[in-house]
Amino acid sequence: IELDQTLSIPAGVTLTLDLAGHSIKFTNAGFGIENRGTLTINDSSAADGDHGIGTGCVYTTDVEAQGRHAVVNYGTLTINGGIFGDSDTDRTNDNGVQRGNALRNVGTATIHGGAFTCCDNYTNGGYAYAIANGSGSSYPDASLPIHYATAYGSVNGLLASDGGKLMVEDGSYPLGDGSETNLWRIVYTSGDGEVQLDGGTYTRKVNNNYGFFGNYSSEGDGIVINGGTFKNAVSDKPIYTDAGVVTITGGTFQQKLTAGASASIAVSGGTFTDTDGLSAFVQDGYTVSGNTVTDTGTRIFESGTGLQSDPYVIKTAEQLAAFRTSVNNGKTYAGQYIQLADNITLSGAFTPI
């Protein structure tokens, strides 16, 4: 089907759309599907075990400006299957359509399956992420749990949260094929956006030194990693955070972690193939033991993890002194939050921070 205008589902309407192996091509200068009601998208052409990926596609073709999203959700959306942002089923060829997100969610959306991409980054400037949640402070409650998805391509990036919270349970997230030099991040946050990764496989194959992660959020917890497998598939490239704090409590990391001057990584768990420099990122009370990070049982702080929502807490002179010593020995705590929770009386000489 070819449409020259947005397919709009108004508030109060409940609809199930089965692509059934067919495609919807939008040629208009705007969105493809705009949902303000309750919409479920399936693709019955997908075989069992293919995670909802059959031959049905939804995409836009106008690449003159950004924001030509395949699906925009303001209401309640469930995606069980389909290919979004691509005109065919070959996930390795150049993609000259979809200069916008495959999905932009500002309501309540859930993904159980399907594939998501957007135009190659050289297509009229590109600059789109495959899956994006929220839109600044305008939609603080935007929620997008992903139970399984495939996000891919030679795109600007794969997962973005500009507001609200995007959560990933599982899926496959490969960025680039190794030949590109202008692609960016696997995961990006801005505004008050948050991303939580509990599982999935994330592979960055881009021949540049840009970030794997970038947390530009000014509110909330930014990027939190509890699980998953992370790999930079270009030789000698690290898993690099270029801004903000990335919190790691678990997961498997196949290259060493590095951070830019305005970035920090807070590690309290996980498995690491390369532990070079890892100790600089390990949180209070944890240590590098072999290829893992383990709990030492000894703390500088009363409580906390250093997040804005859970700051490190100092209540005693002994804790303040231990914090002072940690900082003076080179620990930066860049991007982390420290809270003084009680009045402290210092006696005798106190070496300043």
Side-chain angles (χ1 to χ4, degrees):
I1 299 173
E2 182 173 318
L3 298 176
D4 62 2
Q5 60 183 339
T6 298
L7 175 61
S8 298
I9 295 90
V13 172
T14 299
L15 176 68
T16 297
L17 171 64
D18 183 1
L19 298 174
H22 302 293
S23 295
I24 306 177
K25 172 183 176 180
F26 292 92
T27 61
N28 53 301
F31 305 153
I33 297 173
E34 178 182 334
N35 176 55
R36 295 180 182 272
T38 301
L39 173 64
T40 300
I41 302 177
N42 303 321
D43 185 0
S44 59
S45 73
D48 290 344
D50 286 346
H51 300 290
I53 304 173
T55 56
C57 302
V58 178
Y59 62 97
T60 63
T61 60
D62 187 295
V63 294
E64 292 307 308
Q66 298 183 50
R68 309 307 203 226
H69 312 314
V71 180
V72 176
N73 177 57
Y74 295 89
T76 301
L77 171 68
T78 302
I79 295 179
N80 296 316
I83 298 172
F84 301 88
D86 207 341
S87 59
D88 58 36
T89 61
D90 185 347
R91 298 196 291 275
T92 62
N93 61 346
D94 292 349
N95 186 19
V97 301
Q98 194 59 53
R99 193 167 179 235
N101 311 127
L103 170 63
R104 167 68 70 169
N105 172 62
V106 296
T108 300
T110 304
I111 297 175
H112 294 284
F116 303 81
T117 191
C118 46
C119 69
D120 288 0
N121 220 26
Y122 56 76
T123 302
N124 198 21
Y127 302 117
Y129 276 69
I131 299 173
N133 189 65
S135 183
S137 60
S138 300
Y139 300 94
D141 298 323
S143 175
L144 178 52
I146 300 174
H147 298 284
Y148 196 101
T150 300
Y152 65 94
S154 297
V155 302
N156 199 52
L158 296 180
L159 302 174
S161 183
D162 303 311
K165 190 168 186 177
L166 184 156
M167 299 149 284
V168 181
E169 182 178 304
D170 201 356
S172 176
Y173 306 90
L175 176 66
D177 63 11
S179 64
E180 303 92 343
T181 60
N182 69 332
L183 312 184
W184 287 82
R185 306 170 191 89
I186 298 278
V187 180
Y188 168 81
T189 61
S190 70
D192 61 359
E194 300 178 62
V195 172
Q196 176 180 311
L197 306 180
D198 295 325
T201 301
Y202 306 83
T203 305
R204 190 176 191 274
K205 195 174 183 181
V206 185
N207 193 21
N208 63 29
N209 296 316
Y210 302 164
F212 200 111
F213 306 111
N215 173 19
Y216 289 80
S217 294
S218 56
E219 300 288 340
D221 292 337
I223 300 170
V224 177
I225 300 171
N226 301 318
T229 300
F230 303 85
K231 179 180 181 180
N232 196 324
V234 176
S235 178
D236 300 325
K237 301 294 185 185
I239 296 174
Y240 174 57
T241 297
D242 61 26
V245 178
V246 171
T247 300
I248 297 173
T249 69
T252 299
F253 299 83
Q254 297 184 0
Q255 283 73 38
K256 72 176 182 178
L257 302 181
T258 62
S262 62
S264 180
I265 306 169
V267 180
S268 60
T271 301
F272 304 86
T273 301
D274 187 341
T275 60
D276 180 30
L278 180 61
S279 59
F281 303 125
V282 172
Q283 285 194 297
D284 176 41
Y286 294 85
T287 189
V288 179
S289 177
N291 289 329
T292 63
V293 172
T294 58
D295 191 336
T296 66
T298 303
R299 298 285 190 272
I300 293 175
F301 302 101
E302 180 79 15
S303 61
T305 60
L307 294 172
Q308 184 178 17
S309 63
D310 185 28
Y312 286 133
V313 173
I314 295 174
K315 295 186 71 174
T316 68
E318 291 76 18
Q319 291 166 355
L320 181 60
F323 173 59
R324 177 271 323 276
T325 300
S326 175
V327 172
N328 291 355
N329 285 340
K331 182 76 171 176
T332 68
Y333 297 94
Q336 296 179 285
Y337 292 82
I338 317 294
Q339 181 183 75
L340 184 63
D342 207 345
N343 295 324
I344 296 176
T345 300
L346 300 176
S347 59
F350 182 84
T351 302
I353 296 173

